[in-house]
Amino acid sequence: MELYISGSFEAFNVLYERYANKSYQYFAKKTQNNEDANELIQLLFLKMHSSKHLFQNKYKFEQWLFVIARTVFIDFYRRNKKFSYHEPLSDNEFQYFQEPSTFNADKNEVEHLDALSEKEKEILKLRYEDELSFKEISELLSQSEVSLRKFVSRTISKIKAKHGFSNGVSK
Amino acid sequence: MIDKNIENKIKSTVYQRLNPKPHFIALKFLVIHLFSAVLTLSVCPQFGKKMFNLNIDLMDFFMKITGPKYCLLLCGAFFIGTSLFINSILMNYDELRTIRSHRHLTVIMLVLLSFGSFLMFDPILFLESTMLWFAGALAGGYLSLEFGDFLKRKIAFLN
């Protein structure tokens, strides 16, 4: 990354060859549309190029790229609003960007997400990971905003109850 | 699979951005310097030359700090430093990287060009005041380039 920031096109090529296909798979799964996935890939790498000098070595490159990819996807969806989700999100989207040897899911997150239904996981991730508004989620899933708010509130209460939280204090 | 045309477009765009054309950078640099010169000359005269008759006069402030003799140090630093700082902010990172890779040439040429312009308006300039202005201008120029690069790497909205 340092070489790329210093102006090396060869360094960019190495990063591209390493992550382009993984990024494409991520977008293809999100959009279920090759044309949109190709457009998103272009947006991703151009945005990556514009922000390359903001990269800090304390983070892993794939994590940084994943954050940009997610942002690019959300912006694209908000601009176009022409596609909807065709399948629920996987438990950990980040795995698309990781090298197999570095994959290390957070144990606590996996444990408490496993207790939720697929629908609960999907909606929570749309709201808190992808940071979509309730209005956007209601358009995506064709549900009313009111019912979504109640659903999220019930799901969070369920998580709190499972982990023994009471009025914000752990038992 | 990624479309081959898209792949080629990504690579050629990134290549062009990593290697901006020098004459384009030079032109952009000079235009920004001109804009900055108008701005700085409005608030701080250089060798007695002021652009507009505004109530702000930084030279008085500099004189209070350094005295009448050495205020030229700060005037030079302010004039060239402001120009290079504004250039650092307005150029994209690859353009700034190109300028910084030729920083000595850039700063010295800018200082000489600016001084030459002032000389055209007033051929009689004393050696001591000239040297002081040069020293301030060079120091201000180098510091501004480095500070501008530092800010660009830290603050996202400057990009």
Side-chain angles (χ1 to χ4, degrees):
Chain A
M1 213 29 212
E2 279 301 322
L3 283 174
Y4 175 36
I5 294 170
S6 307
S8 166
F9 180 67
E10 289 71 31
F12 167 76
N13 257 334
V14 168
L15 290 171
Y16 181 86
E17 296 308 326
R18 214 180 271 174
Y19 293 101
N21 279 332
K22 292 180 191 184
S23 310
Y24 180 81
Q25 282 164 28
Y26 171 74
F27 289 133
K29 184 151 186 169
K30 290 278 225 179
T31 62
Q32 297 290 312
N33 180 311
N34 284 340
E35 204 180 300
D36 287 336
N38 274 305
E39 191 175 337
L40 283 164
I41 269 288
Q42 197 175 340
L43 291 171
L44 169 66
F45 280 96
L46 293 181
K47 191 163 174 74
M48 184 192 89
H49 178 76
S50 307
S51 326
K52 65 186 184 306
H53 52 282
L54 297 169
F55 174 76
Q56 294 175 42
N57 279 328
K58 61 183 178 183
Y59 303 116
K60 285 190 179 148
F61 175 78
E62 51 259 34
Q63 288 172 326
W64 180 74
L65 187 66
F66 173 66
V67 170
I68 298 175
R70 203 170 60 190
T71 310
V72 160
F73 172 74
I74 291 171
D75 290 344
F76 184 78
Y77 164 72
R78 283 179 174 156
R79 261 200 322 273
N80 296 297
K81 293 195 179 180
K82 61 174 184 168
F83 54 81
S84 58
Y85 283 99
H86 293 271
E87 59 183 81
L89 300 170
S90 61
D91 276 351
N92 191 343
E93 290 181 317
F94 176 47
Q95 66 187 305
Y96 284 100
F97 289 78
Q98 277 186 313
E99 297 294 338
S101 58
T102 61
F103 182 73
N104 182 22
D106 181 83
K107 194 165 179 293
N108 288 334
E109 283 176 11
V110 169
E111 272 178 3
H112 79 248
L113 284 178
D114 276 348
L116 304 175
S117 68
E118 284 302 315
K119 185 179 176 184
E120 285 167 335
K121 281 189 232 178
E122 182 188 355
I123 292 174
L124 280 187
K125 284 180 182 180
L126 286 170
R127 178 76 187 111
Y128 294 107
E129 274 193 21
D130 292 340
E131 294 173 337
L132 297 181
S133 66
F134 279 111
K135 187 170 183 296
E136 286 165 331
I137 299 172
S138 75
E139 284 167 10
L140 254 183
L141 302 177
S142 305
Q143 287 184 17
S144 76
E145 214 178 306
V146 171
S147 66
L148 274 172
R149 287 179 187 274
K150 283 184 187 166
F151 184 87
V152 166
S153 175
R154 273 200 308 269
T155 309
I156 290 172
S157 302
K158 191 171 158 182
I159 295 171
K160 282 180 182 175
K162 181 172 172 56
H163 286 272
F165 282 99
S166 173
N167 295 328
V169 177
S170 181
K171 286 183 187 167
Chain B
M1 276 296 289
I2 302 172
D3 189 86
K4 255 304 175 200
N5 290 332
I6 298 284
E7 184 170 312
N8 290 337
K9 193 175 174 190
I10 291 170
K11 288 185 177 181
S12 70
T13 305
V14 169
Y15 182 81
Q16 280 168 23
R17 289 186 187 180
L18 279 173
N19 301 284
K21 293 186 171 54
H23 56 267
F24 174 75
I25 296 176
L27 186 66
K28 193 171 170 181
F29 185 84
L30 286 173
V31 167
I32 294 172
H33 174 64
L34 206 67
F35 163 76
S36 165
V38 168
L39 212 68
T40 49
L41 282 172
S42 306
V43 298
C44 181
Q46 305 288 327
F47 299 108
K49 302 288 175 287
K50 200 174 179 186
M51 186 65 72
F52 306 113
N53 214 7
L54 299 175
N55 280 336
I56 310 163
D57 196 339
L58 276 178
M59 197 170 75
D60 288 340
F61 175 69
F62 291 154
M63 276 193 191
K64 281 177 192 162
I65 301 174
T66 58
K69 189 177 176 187
Y70 295 102
C71 81
L72 277 162
L73 265 174
L74 291 180
C75 283
F78 178 70
F79 183 77
I80 297 292
T82 305
S83 173
L84 280 164
F85 181 73
I86 295 176
N87 263 293
S88 303
I89 300 305
L90 294 181
M91 296 263 184
N92 67 43
Y93 190 78
D94 292 309
E95 289 167 348
L96 182 62
R97 178 178 44 80
T98 307
I99 290 173
R100 286 182 72 244
S101 67
H102 301 95
R103 58 169 69 77
H104 302 303
L105 181 70
T106 305
V107 175
I108 291 169
M109 287 300 295
L110 186 66
V111 170
L112 287 175
L113 185 76
S114 302
F115 182 72
S117 305
F118 293 130
L119 209 57
M120 273 170 34
F121 291 99
D122 189 354
I124 303 169
L125 289 172
F126 297 103
L127 180 66
E128 190 183 5
S129 55
T130 304
M131 299 310 292
L132 284 170
W133 189 88
F134 259 86
L138 287 171
Y142 281 115
L143 283 171
S144 286
L145 259 185
E146 296 310 307
F147 184 58
D149 177 69
F150 169 79
L151 281 184
K152 250 181 146 60
R153 289 187 81 150
K154 294 289 177 198
I155 303 174
F157 85 83
L158 288 179
N159 296 280

